[in-house]
Amino acid sequence: MRVRVWFLVLLLGSVGSFGATAQPAATSDTTLEQRRPLPYPITPDRGFQQALEEGTRTRSGKPGPNYWTNTATYDLSARVNPTANVLRGRGTIRYRNNSPDTLRQLVVHLRQNIHKKGTFRNRPAEITGGMTLDRLGLGGADSLRRVQSRQQLQRLGQGYVVQDTRLIVFPPQPLEPKDTATVNVRWHFDIPGADNFRMGQDGEVYYLGYWYPQMAVYDDVEGWKAEPYQGDGEFYMGYADYEVSITVPEGWLVGATGTLQNPEEVLTDSVQARLDRASTTDEVIAIVDSSARGVGTATVAASDADSTLTWQFSAEQARDVAFGTSDDFVWDATSAATGEGRSMIHAFYRPEKETWRRSAEFAQYSIEHLSDMIMPYPYPQMTTVEGPIGGGMEYPMITLIGDPSSSEALFGVTYHEISHMWFPMVVGTNEKAYAWLDEGTTTFNETEGRDDFYPDQDAWARSEHYYYRFATSVDVPSMRHADRYPVEGPARYVASYDKPGVMLHALRSVVGDETFFEAYRTFAQRWAYKHPTPYDFFNTFEDVAGRELDWFWRGAFYESWTMDHAVQSVEQTDEGVVVTVADQGQLVMPVFLEAAYADGRTVERRVGVDPWLDGKRTVEVRLEEGTVTQVTLNPGHTLPDVDRSNDEWTRQEVDASVKP
């Protein structure tokens, strides 16, 4: 196994970045107070540098010729007992080592253990006892024993250890390159209640996320990347194929990751017919309405003594699987055009949730808009489930959403969670280490979607409002591990959601709309079903744009700097009009200037970032002769200027200072 050195990333997360400790640039015409910090170049960490040397990554942002990912197949069964609020599961995991390394241990996530007494967590969680392993074995061998010491492990030659939310398995023989390990496991846990985050039950709806033992990621940059689940930081997951059987009481409906394989065994003929119709239309079809819920109208009657039905789902190239179930659900469906065919859209919700009647419509729009903006949605279906959380939580092909206060709020949450199907479900980023890379891109996407769906609103102005509200008071950079933000306050949200969304909007202005979206799509296409880092994102944008952008990455993501351009003066000279623009902030951004003349003319000027990178605090913008009546900086509000009160000058306000 490689030795991975990652203290640099932790250092960046702890103090912001090396740029924060840089000496400010000094120029002959500035005082010490006016000197500005300069953005340092981006230096990838040692693990990424080693990946470059080994040919798994490239400086252009493309996966290298030797790139690999480990893969798995899961054959899982879950039985939900609503009376006891217990899930019992069993499964076989086949984990293939596609790396060039010999693996002497296997690491598995048991994320339900966040509900176990004594587990470290950074947000409140109900104590249920966590996940109990009833049996764990490798291949066809007898059950492995849980070892209590290194000496016991050496004596047995195999075994396992449970550490917080992680299971470390020591096989009797190392897993060589190109070999496959088979893990057989049985488990059960009490399903947490409605006060839980990201999954749980409220007595009516059961939504099951991280409900099974899941292999951790072993990647080409850091080897095993298996950090404990603490609550705030989300997930880093590998890709797998799934066969899943879900057993619930008859009359209960199930929505899940993947495609239902046995509709004739669980659904009535009339429901199947309505689903067939929905698969070819843009119209939203009521598959099961309030009057059709239950046995005989929605589901078939069970043939076994315990009155249960088993729903079978299959999914390919998914990084996780989740499901929701209830006998209170109604079910709407339609389909969405992805550009490469049609994908089914399902919405499960309780009928008293009036706002949810537009859920399928919103999901359909989201899939189609995102398919057009980024790349075609690759999965056969998308499901929205109304359930027991606030906000929303994404899983492959399915999302859990609470009960928003308005139709517009439901649209926003739906679009946001479905946007996660691209980042990080298809483009498999590490959400724990770099939350901004999926939440920031998704915030950008959501705002674009709002802008298109509600054309009479200025969605970007609303999005920027939240950033501006906290930008000057939340001194936390985006390049920070998601579990290392202050627990209280808005720091994690601003740094991971609002700020990167606004910065990507600014980047679009910096490189141009066409170049931005070409780079954005290229990144998604290059890294579909792979594990990119921020360096791959940065390198791809620079590769497509044909320019170095370290100054932008440093200021936007590694620092807590803010932008404040101001019109310092406007003077009429013999050679024309001279506008002096002052940079009163720290964040380097180009100058966008618009000037209006008394004769009705309007001119635009743009000044690049070189003056600021040279340490200057002011720049002169020369305009053609004529009477200038108004000067506006950042006229489209596309750059994140935190003080817009000094962005505009009008002749009437400063007549005395203008030379006739």
Side-chain angles (χ1 to χ4, degrees):
M1 184 186 302
R2 299 179 182 85
V3 176
R4 302 297 189 184
V5 180
W6 49 290
F7 68 90
L8 177 59
V9 174
L10 293 180
L11 183 60
L12 293 177
S14 300
V15 301
S17 76
F18 298 126
T21 59
Q23 289 188 352
T27 59
S28 59
D29 60 345
T30 60
T31 65
L32 180 64
E33 289 76 22
Q34 292 173 317
R35 295 174 186 173
R36 66 168 310 132
L38 299 181
Y40 275 28
I42 302 301
T43 302
D45 60 42
R46 183 173 173 180
F48 189 87
Q49 297 279 14
Q50 186 171 343
L52 291 174
E53 295 170 5
E54 295 176 354
T56 58
R57 310 269 165 162
T58 68
R59 297 187 188 280
S60 69
K62 298 177 183 178
N66 299 327
Y67 184 81
W68 51 266
T69 57
N70 288 351
T71 54
T73 62
Y74 291 80
D75 190 347
L76 305 174
S77 298
R79 178 177 289 267
V80 177
N81 183 336
T83 303
N85 287 333
V86 171
L87 181 145
R88 294 189 177 276
R90 60 189 301 172
T92 297
I93 306 169
R94 295 174 180 86
Y95 181 74
R96 179 173 171 80
N97 180 18
N98 296 314
S99 81
D101 305 328
T102 297
L103 306 183
R104 303 187 183 280
Q105 63 187 35
L106 304 176
V107 186
V108 183
H109 288 290
L110 307 178
R111 295 188 178 93
Q112 280 297 320
N113 278 355
I114 196 170
H115 299 286
K116 188 174 183 178
K117 185 177 181 179
T119 297
F120 180 83
R121 58 185 69 87
N122 50 27
R123 62 193 298 177
E126 178 184 348
I127 302 302
T128 66
M131 181 179 287
T132 299
L133 295 178
D134 300 315
R135 182 185 183 278
L136 179 66
L138 291 177
D142 294 336
S143 296
L144 291 176
R145 290 180 59 181
R146 182 171 182 172
V147 296
Q148 305 298 327
S149 67
R150 183 179 296 275
Q151 292 76 14
Q152 184 185 19
L153 177 61
Q154 291 175 341
R155 185 174 68 253
L156 295 174
Q158 59 183 324
Y160 72 90
V161 175
V162 175
Q163 295 179 348
D164 43 65
T165 62
R166 297 166 295 180
L167 164 70
I168 298 92
V169 178
F170 301 94
Q173 300 296 328
L175 185 62
E176 300 291 343
K178 310 308 178 186
D179 281 354
T180 298
T182 300
V183 180
N184 299 302
V185 61
R186 295 183 184 179
W187 71 94
H188 71 274
F189 62 87
D190 291 345
I191 303 170
D195 292 335
N196 181 45
F197 46 93
R198 300 195 177 105
M199 55 82 65
Q201 54 81 22
D202 60 8
E204 295 179 348
V205 172
Y206 288 73
Y207 192 94
L208 280 303
Y210 44 90
W211 57 274
Y212 62 97
Q214 184 186 43
M215 296 299 304
V217 172
Y218 186 90
D219 68 24
D220 64 306
V221 175
E222 297 196 57
W224 284 114
K225 190 64 175 174
E227 298 174 284
Y229 180 45
Q230 299 177 5
D232 273 350
E234 291 183 316
F235 312 118
Y236 186 33
M237 298 174 169
Y239 291 96
D241 295 339
Y242 288 86
E243 298 294 332
V244 182
S245 298
I246 301 165
T247 300
V248 297
E250 62 182 0
W252 285 56
L253 297 176
V254 179
T257 300
T259 303
L260 181 63
Q261 300 297 297
N262 63 334
E264 70 285 349
E265 296 178 8
V266 295
L267 298 174
T268 62
D269 291 343
S270 59
V271 167
Q272 293 180 64
R274 288 191 285 272
L275 283 172
D276 288 342
R277 180 184 168 200
S279 68
T280 60
T281 183
D282 294 329
E283 180 186 354
V284 176
I285 307 297
I287 306 301
V288 176
D289 62 19
S290 299
S291 64
R293 291 179 294 183
V295 180
T297 49
T299 75
V300 299
S303 59
D304 56 6
D306 60 0
S307 301
T308 60
L309 295 174
T310 298
W311 299 57
Q312 298 173 0
F313 293 87
S314 179
E316 296 180 352
Q317 286 193 298
R319 60 171 235 160
D320 195 9
V321 62
F323 65 93
T325 183
S326 177
D327 60 349
D328 284 336
F329 280 154
V330 294
W331 180 1
D332 294 340
T334 184
S335 61
T338 66
E340 292 185 354
R342 300 193 74 85
S343 291
M344 284 291 294
I345 303 294
H346 303 284
F348 294 90
Y349 59 96
R350 286 167 283 198
E352 62 269 23
K353 308 294 184 180
E354 294 285 337
T355 303
W356 267 78
R357 295 183 179 182
R358 298 190 69 183
S359 177
E361 172 198 349
F362 293 157
Q364 178 192 58
Y365 170 84
S366 301
I367 290 291
E368 293 183 345
H369 189 260
L370 287 158
S371 293
D372 182 63
M373 184 170 70
I374 305 173
M375 65 182 182
Y377 182 67
Y379 294 121
Q381 65 92 9
M382 181 67 219
T383 297
T384 60
V385 176
E386 174 266 316
I389 66 168
M393 181 60 206
E394 72 280 0
Y395 297 86
M397 299 178 244
I398 187 170
T399 180
L400 172 63
I401 299 174
D403 185 21
S405 59
S406 67
S407 177
E408 184 179 343
L410 178 61
F411 172 85
V413 179
T414 300
Y415 193 105
H416 183 97
E417 304 308 331
I418 289 180
S419 181
H420 278 305
M421 299 306 115
W422 281 260
F423 307 101
M425 301 306 165
V426 172
V427 181
T429 61
N430 184 341
E431 301 171 82
K432 293 181 76 67
Y434 313 109
W436 72 267
L437 194 50
D438 76 288
E439 296 295 356
T441 52
T442 294
T443 299
F444 173 86
N445 298 342
E446 177 194 345
T447 312
E448 286 290 288
R450 284 182 181 272
D451 217 32
D452 186 73
F453 194 82
Y454 297 104
D456 295 334
Q457 300 179 8
D458 188 344
W460 275 111
R462 293 177 61 187
S463 178
E464 290 167 349
H465 165 74
Y466 295 104
Y467 166 68
Y468 297 142
R469 181 180 174 187
F470 297 107
T472 57
S473 60
V474 177
D475 188 25
V476 181
S478 296
M479 282 287 284
R480 172 173 285 197
H481 193 287
D483 284 320
R484 297 187 178 96
Y485 287 104
V487 175
E488 301 295 334
R492 184 173 70 92
Y493 190 88
V494 172
S496 300
Y497 293 72
D498 289 335
K499 179 180 177 180
V502 168
M503 293 302 168
L504 290 174
H505 187 48
L507 179 60
R508 175 167 60 175
S509 295
V510 169
V511 301
D513 196 78
E514 183 177 347
T515 298
F516 176 87
F517 280 106
E518 181 184 354
Y520 200 31
R521 295 177 184 120
T522 299
F523 173 68
Q525 292 161 1
R526 284 178 175 178
W527 290 96
Y529 312 110
K530 300 178 180 68
H531 297 300
T533 70
Y535 309 121
D536 301 300
F537 181 85
F538 301 156
N539 289 340
T540 293
F541 266 80
E542 293 185 357
D543 181 45
V544 173
R547 56 192 291 194
E548 181 265 316
L549 293 165
D550 278 13
W551 60 269
F552 183 91
W553 313 128
R554 175 66 66 187
F557 300 117
Y558 288 82
E559 303 290 352
S560 55
W561 295 341
T562 56
M563 171 190 172
D564 181 14
H565 288 179
V567 180
Q568 181 169 294
S569 65
V570 180
E571 293 186 301
Q572 188 81 43
T573 71
D574 294 338
E575 299 177 353
V577 179
V578 178
V579 180
T580 301
V581 178
D583 186 354
Q584 300 179 168
Q586 296 173 311
L587 180 65
V588 172
M589 285 288 167
V591 174
F592 295 166
L593 182 149
E594 181 180 272
Y597 286 77
D599 60 9
R601 286 177 295 152
T602 299
V603 299
E604 295 180 353
R605 294 289 186 270
R606 177 168 173 162
V607 180
V609 298
D610 287 347
W612 313 140
L613 296 181
D614 288 339
K616 294 182 178 179
R617 274 298 186 181
T618 62
V619 64
E620 292 184 348
V621 182
R622 298 187 177 275
L623 305 176
E624 56 199 65
E625 294 182 358
T627 302
V628 173
T629 59
Q630 187 175 62
V631 174
T632 304
L633 299 179
N634 191 23
H637 301 311
T638 56
L639 300 179
D641 194 316
V642 296
D643 183 3
R644 293 179 179 172
S645 67
N646 54 22
D647 287 354
E648 191 171 293
W649 170 94
T650 60
R651 182 177 176 84
Q652 292 80 0
E653 293 175 358
V654 291
D655 242 359
S657 69
V658 179
K659 298 177 182 179

